Amino acid sequence: MEDDREVRTRLFDSTVRDYVVSLLFFAILYVLSYVILCKLRKTSEIDEYYKDQEEKIVYKVTFWVCTFTLATSVGAALLLPFSIVSREILRLYVDSYYWQWLNASLVHGLWNGIFIFTNVSLFLFIPFAYFFSESIGLSGNSKGLKSRIMETALRLLLFAIIVIGFVAMLFLFFTSRSPAFLLVNTMYYLPFLYSCISFFGVLLLLVSTPLGFARLFTVLGSLIVKPKILRDIDDELEVVRCEEELLTRKMEETAWSNGTLHEMKLKLEEYHSKRLRLEKKIRASPLRRNLGYPVAMLLLFLLTVICALVVLFNTFRLVTGLKEIQTVTKTDILLSISGHLSSLRVIEVTLEIVLFLYLMLTSLVGFYSLPPFKKLFPRYGDTTVTQLIANCALVLILSSALPVLSSILGITNFSLVGEFGHLHWLGHFGLVLVYNVVFATAMVTSLVNKFSTSILYELYSHLRTLCHRRRRGSAMNTRPDVVKFE
């Protein structure tokens, strides 16, 4: 009797501890997301919303929803690194009392919690925030907050009917079950719906991530100070100063219309910010200027090569049959965390986490480089509420698909936990093989085009300069001599 009571007491303490750690984890993510969105939101829009009490409430609710969604996105992106690190810590400190809170039940609870929060955010909170911010009230009723809530609820109901009908059509198309199965098992909607959303996110990553591998070199080159032989910042700064001074004189000496004056002010602010960035780069130390750029490019090149080799090796293993698609059942989840510990070393774990974070960075860079999503890129202090909602929804789809992508490409051997490991299409061998082949081909093609285009452009520039010098030299030689009289 006492042993049974002690077991129940330990189980209760462990459960409470897991809930407290999960709450602290999400609270930290929520505060971080709130700070990020406060830096991004449009300042002039806040003053407009805060003039009316009703608009103020709508704006606050929408902003809280965006913060919750962004916190869920960050949590989904950090789930896999956190799980890998906790597994390695438990492997190194098996008998340590201070690290026992990083147990399998905590990891499993975090994965399930993020899965629930992701579905709630995608299918309830984000649509509610968008409809609520765009609502004006039902026609025929008195305008007010209650009328806007009723309109939002009606739109949500119509949205739910459309989504349920669409999911039912997809389910009946891809499975051999009868329509009566959906009527009896209504709880089957949510996992299948999220399976469709995750598949869409993985397809979106298939387009954006290979593009991000090549685009990241350009982005890093614009942020880091290049050596003087590659970029003459002094000449650029002088040109920007002249342009800024010329534009300032035009604004002072001539009377312009309001629209033209506003455009000129925006252009002047752009020149001013560009001048400040160039002045900051000029003040960089010689060591940073001559050593920082080559080291950063070398590290980025090494990460890209390692990631490409991992993907190609994973594709080779799939083609030759050395790797099989493993499906994790609910009874094997805890074994996949604890029984897998001895196979990893610290270097391997570090490499897995670095490659995963690099994959996440390249996916974001490539995503915002795509033409349909360039306008959605959030800008510091100039992002509207609608843009915040759209960005939070898209980032949530991408971040929740990142663990699935890393598992498909063989970036990590960690088994997906919870409902993430029970996606309907993840066990399809042909689909996974085709995805690896297409991803590897797109990645290699994008990198080859990037470097070959840059090399050809540099060769063309040098040849053009050389031809120009030869023409000048031949013109000087054919010029008639000038006779000088003393």
Side-chain angles (χ1 to χ4, degrees), residues 105-264:
S105 61
L106 173 64
V107 175
H108 184 271
L110 286 175
W111 281 80
N112 286 337
I114 292 296
F115 176 78
I116 294 173
F117 289 162
T118 301
N119 284 277
V120 171
S121 299
L122 282 177
F123 307 122
L124 181 60
F125 286 170
I126 288 294
F128 175 81
Y130 177 73
F131 294 146
F132 195 42
S133 62
E134 297 293 330
S135 62
I136 57 175
L138 294 173
S139 60
N141 294 344
S142 58
K143 301 296 181 180
L145 191 62
K146 184 178 179 181
S147 179
R148 297 182 67 169
I149 293 176
M150 292 175 61
E151 181 188 355
T152 305
L154 182 60
R155 290 187 177 185
L156 275 178
L157 180 61
L158 296 175
F159 175 75
I161 293 173
I162 294 174
V163 170
I164 291 174
F166 181 71
V167 172
M169 291 175 58
L170 289 178
F171 179 79
L172 296 176
F173 180 77
F174 288 107
T175 61
S176 58
R177 298 180 184 271
S178 61
F181 178 81
L182 288 176
L183 297 176
V184 177
N185 302 278
T186 54
M187 294 301 294
Y188 200 74
Y189 273 106
L190 190 59
F192 184 78
L193 179 58
Y194 183 75
S195 180
C196 298
I197 294 296
S198 64
F199 183 71
F200 171 74
V202 170
L203 288 181
L204 194 59
L205 290 174
L206 178 62
V207 179
S208 62
T209 307
L211 179 62
F213 282 114
R215 177 65 180 168
L216 193 58
F217 285 92
T218 305
V219 175
L220 187 63
S222 62
L223 295 176
I224 300 179
V225 182
K226 294 182 180 180
K228 199 168 185 179
I229 58 175
L230 298 177
R231 182 183 180 184
D232 195 351
I233 304 180
D234 295 331
D235 291 345
E236 293 184 19
L237 181 60
E238 188 66 28
V239 171
V240 171
R241 283 175 177 172
C242 292
E243 293 288 344
E244 186 181 4
E245 184 178 356
L246 180 62
L247 189 60
T248 305
R249 289 180 179 178
K250 284 184 178 180
M251 293 175 60
E252 292 177 353
E253 295 175 357
T254 311
W256 302 93
S257 61
N258 293 330
T260 307
L261 187 61
H262 179 68
E263 293 179 359
M264 295 178 70

Side-chain angles (χ1 to χ4, degrees), residues 401-420:
L402 274 173
V404 183
L405 177 68
S406 63
S407 178
I408 293 175
L409 299 178
I411 301 295
T412 177
N413 294 323
F414 189 87
S415 300
L416 299 178
V417 183
E419 296 296 334
F420 287 91

Side-chain angles (χ1 to χ4, degrees), residues 84-94 99 102 341:
I84 295 174
V85 170
S86 62
R87 183 180 64 179
E88 183 66 15
I89 289 176
L90 288 179
R91 188 186 70 85
L92 294 175
Y93 306 101
V94 180
W99 294 106
L102 285 173
L341 300 178

Side-chain angles (χ1 to χ4, degrees), residues 274-346:
K274 188 176 181 180
R275 178 175 60 83
L276 292 179
R277 289 196 301 267
L278 291 175
E279 289 177 351
K280 185 178 180 180
K281 289 183 178 181
I282 283 182
R283 292 193 297 267
S285 61
L287 181 64
R288 178 186 171 188
R289 178 178 298 179
N290 297 322
L291 192 62
Y293 181 79
V295 171
M297 285 297 171
L298 181 61
L299 290 177
L300 188 60
F301 179 74
L302 288 177
L303 285 176
T304 307
V305 170
I306 293 173
C307 192
L309 291 177
V310 169
V311 176
L312 292 174
F313 182 66
N314 185 67
T315 307
F316 173 77
R317 291 174 61 193
L318 288 173
V319 171
T320 56
L322 297 176
K323 180 180 179 180
E324 297 180 356
I325 303 297
Q326 298 179 356
T327 57
V328 181
T329 60
K330 291 185 178 180
T331 57
D332 295 333
I333 291 175
L334 300 183
L335 296 177
S336 67
I337 299 176
S338 57
H340 205 75
L341 300 178
S342 59
S343 63
L344 287 179
R345 299 178 181 178
V346 176

